Amino acid sequence: MIKITFIGAGSTIFARNVLGDCMCTPALCKSEIALYDVSEERLNDSEIILRTLNKNINQDRAVIKTYLGTVNRKKALANADFVVNAIQVGGYDPCTITDFEIPRKYGLNQTIADTLGIGGIMRGLRTIPVLRDIAKDIEEVCPKALFLNYTNPMSILTGYMQRYTKVRTVGLCHSVQKCTEELFTNLDIKGQLDGHTELIAGINHMAWLLDIRDKDGQDMYPQIRKMAAAKNAGMKHDDMVRFEYINNLGYYCTESSEHNAEYNNFFIKSKYPELIEQFNIPLDEYPRRCKKQIAEWEEERDRILKNGKITHKRSLEYASYIMESIVTNTPYKIGGNVLNTNLITNLPAEACVEVPCLVDGNGVIPCHVGKLPVQLAAMNQTNINVQLLTIEAAVSKNREHIYHAAMLDPHTSSELSIPDIKKMCDELIEAHNEYMADFQ
């Protein structure tokens, strides 16, 4: 029997989607599913939802077991074939709130703060120690398991696992699957999706749509560039930052404009506050989103528990397709986050890059991309600097490298002085307290 362990199963909506996908997959529907979390309440919610889903769509063919707390983590992982990671260390309250409130005191505004910037740095630093312990358990009780990481900051956490543990790891993000569809939808040319081909590569949340061709093999970028420029000049919309990338860098990228607004030094600038309005940038978007999601989940949970009505159709999330491909030795293509083993030749070997990968019974096999356009590699490098220094800080337990990561972050360094950057880092480390035990 295939065993799938879900770490962070209290992420109920995501666990439902990924594990619901597995229940919809013939090769996986009879798996043993181990749900693990450190929150008893959230774990109980997920267990109820998934048992109901298993009954409604899978004739109770999956075997579902729950494991609470770190003392039971090895039991949850024992003999697992696949480990899905969706933890959020520190949660929305207090840690995410802290990651926004303290930087705001220093005049540093953020939109999402889970991937880069000071918020991404802090999230990475409080998560790596937990991953370190999880990796030790995997190496001991399920050394052949494939670790499917969905937790942000993707490049920092996946890169740590790939460089400093023996765990077979791939990072997964749905922004690759959605990239071209979002572009075509925002340009109102969604009907041209049929039969198109594409090449996407770079780093997570800033992988580039390098080539896009219609069903006849014709390059679509000349049309896309004209339309993107016209739309940004003519109206306000939700994807203005990425369209500005097209206008000035020549290419579209994978993750949303609200994310990318804080990955550079171009848009969120206290000296030019009018840019926020001009490019329709939603400051403090993630806290608002968290509050909304928490409220919506509580309503949905109560509704499901009341009438038991829950169903699921297989989504586009990569996890179940990867598992199915490996189990059945059926080739499948993904966009995966992997160590840069000469895959993108003008990015560092230590970087975690997002490239096309083939999956089959041998596992995840990344594909060689070659050289990115120089301006795109340069944009990626500004983010990679922060990622590598954050990993270095976590591994060395050297507070100076936290300062270095923040000093080299494009957005942070464009807004704050070095003394204020260091002071802000110190205040965040103190506020996160137990989660930053390595730096106290």
Side-chain angles (χ1 to χ4, degrees):
M1 177 181 285
I2 300 299
K3 181 175 179 179
I4 303 166
T5 299
F6 199 106
I7 303 290
S11 302
T12 304
I13 299 299
F14 190 66
R16 182 186 71 182
N17 289 340
V18 169
L19 296 174
D21 287 351
C22 294
M23 293 176 191
C24 293
T25 306
L28 305 171
C29 66
K30 297 180 181 179
S31 297
E32 176 183 342
I33 296 174
L35 304 176
Y36 168 81
D37 206 280
V38 296
S39 167
E40 184 173 8
E41 179 182 1
R42 293 176 67 90
L43 183 61
N44 288 341
D45 285 347
S46 292
E47 180 184 11
I48 292 170
I49 300 306
L50 286 163
R51 287 194 185 281
T52 303
L53 194 62
N54 190 32
K55 178 181 179 181
N56 290 354
I57 71 169
N58 196 32
Q59 295 81 53
D60 280 325
R61 288 180 292 185
V63 177
I64 299 174
K65 300 179 182 180
T66 60
Y67 300 87
L68 176 66
T70 54
V71 294
N72 290 309
R73 190 171 59 210
K74 282 186 182 179
K75 293 179 182 177
L77 289 166
N79 301 312
D81 298 285
F82 303 99
V83 179
V84 180
N85 180 54
I87 62 174
Q88 184 181 355
V89 177
Y92 166 67
D93 186 4
C95 286
T96 295
I97 294 173
T98 299
D99 284 343
F100 275 85
E101 289 184 346
I102 290 177
R104 194 183 301 117
K105 286 171 45 181
Y106 289 83
L108 188 64
N109 291 305
Q110 300 172 97
T111 53
I112 306 295
D114 72 348
T115 295
L116 208 72
I118 193 61
I121 292 168
M122 290 296 144
R123 184 180 283 227
L125 290 172
R126 62 178 178 261
T127 307
I128 285 177
V130 179
L131 288 187
R132 185 186 301 143
D133 292 341
I134 292 172
K136 289 178 182 177
D137 288 347
I138 292 173
E139 290 167 358
E140 180 180 341
V141 302
C142 56
K144 295 182 180 180
L146 178 63
F147 188 78
L148 307 175
N149 180 50
Y150 274 101
T151 298
N152 285 324
M154 176 63 64
S155 296
I156 291 171
L157 302 182
T158 305
Y160 166 78
M161 292 291 288
Q162 290 161 344
R163 291 172 58 202
Y164 290 100
T165 78
K166 297 178 181 178
V167 177
R168 299 167 61 213
T169 301
V170 63
L172 303 174
C173 178
H174 55 244
S175 64
V176 175
Q177 298 102 302
K178 292 183 176 181
C179 176
T180 302
E181 182 179 358
E182 286 180 348
L183 173 61
F184 281 33
T185 299
N186 292 335
L187 290 176
D188 198 24
I189 56 172
K190 191 173 180 180
Q192 298 185 38
L193 275 169
D194 292 345
H196 82 280
T197 59
E198 64 187 32
L199 173 62
I200 295 175
I203 61 173
N204 180 245
H205 284 190
M206 196 188 279
W208 305 99
L209 182 61
L210 297 171
D211 190 77
I212 177 73
R213 296 182 181 273
D214 65 20
K215 61 183 179 181
D216 298 318
Q218 296 299 308
D219 184 4
M220 298 188 69
Y221 253 127
Q223 172 193 6
I224 288 169
R225 290 179 181 121
K226 289 178 182 179
M227 295 182 73
K231 186 164 185 177
N232 260 19
M235 64 180 293
K236 189 175 292 184
H237 59 95
D238 291 336
D239 207 13
M240 299 189 75
V241 168
R242 285 195 289 180
F243 278 24
E244 200 67 4
Y245 279 2
I246 297 174
N247 294 341
N248 291 283
L249 300 171
Y251 297 85
Y252 192 66
C253 80
T254 48
E255 188 49 79
S256 62
S257 281
E258 62 263 26
H259 272 274
N260 269 274
E262 63 184 6
Y263 298 165
N264 54 67
N265 55 357
F266 305 140
F267 300 103
I268 306 176
K269 302 171 77 70
S270 56
K271 188 177 179 180
Y272 302 99
E274 66 274 11
L275 293 175
I276 304 300
E277 176 71 19
Q278 179 183 345
F279 289 99
N280 202 24
I281 296 169
L283 298 179
D284 299 325
E285 169 65 16
Y286 191 62
R288 285 194 299 273
R289 191 177 295 177
C290 287
K291 290 179 183 178
K292 181 181 178 182
Q293 288 174 341
I294 291 169
E296 288 176 347
W297 160 239
E298 289 176 351
E299 292 177 3
E300 183 176 3
R301 176 197 60 198
D302 293 344
R303 187 166 57 251
I304 292 169
L305 295 180
K306 182 178 180 180
N307 59 34
K309 291 182 180 179
I310 180 174
T311 188
H312 182 78
K313 292 184 179 180
R314 196 175 186 185
S315 74
L316 294 178
E317 292 290 355
Y318 281 140
S320 69
Y321 296 93
I322 292 172
M323 297 180 206
E324 178 185 34
S325 177
I326 291 173
V327 169
T328 64
N329 193 26
T330 303
Y332 185 71
K333 178 185 174 183
I334 67 167
N337 290 272
V338 296
L339 197 62
N340 187 26
T341 53
N342 202 39
L343 305 170
I344 299 179
T345 55
N346 52 346
L347 292 180
E350 298 87 355
C352 177
V353 294
E354 194 165 65
V355 298
C357 300
L358 295 178
V359 187
D360 62 16
N362 294 310
V364 179
I365 306 164
C367 300
H368 178 81
V369 173
K371 186 177 181 181
L372 295 181
V374 65
Q375 74 276 18
L376 305 186
M379 284 286 290
N380 285 164
Q381 186 63 56
T382 64
N383 286 220
I384 290 169
N385 292 335
V386 182
Q387 294 159 4
L388 296 184
L389 281 162
T390 303
I391 294 172
E392 189 66 24
V395 172
S396 67
K397 303 180 184 179
N398 183 344
R399 187 185 286 230
E400 289 292 321
H401 288 315
I402 302 177
Y403 301 152
H404 297 154
M407 287 161 55
L408 288 170
D409 175 69
H411 175 44
T412 303
S413 61
S414 70
E415 291 281 79
L416 304 184
S417 68
I418 291 177
D420 276 351
I421 289 173
K422 291 184 175 181
K423 187 177 178 182
M424 178 182 65
C425 288
D426 288 340
E427 189 171 344
L428 281 162
I429 293 167
E430 182 178 356
H432 286 309
N433 195 4
E434 61 182 295
Y435 299 107
M436 292 287 185
D438 288 344
F439 302 99
Q440 299 298 333

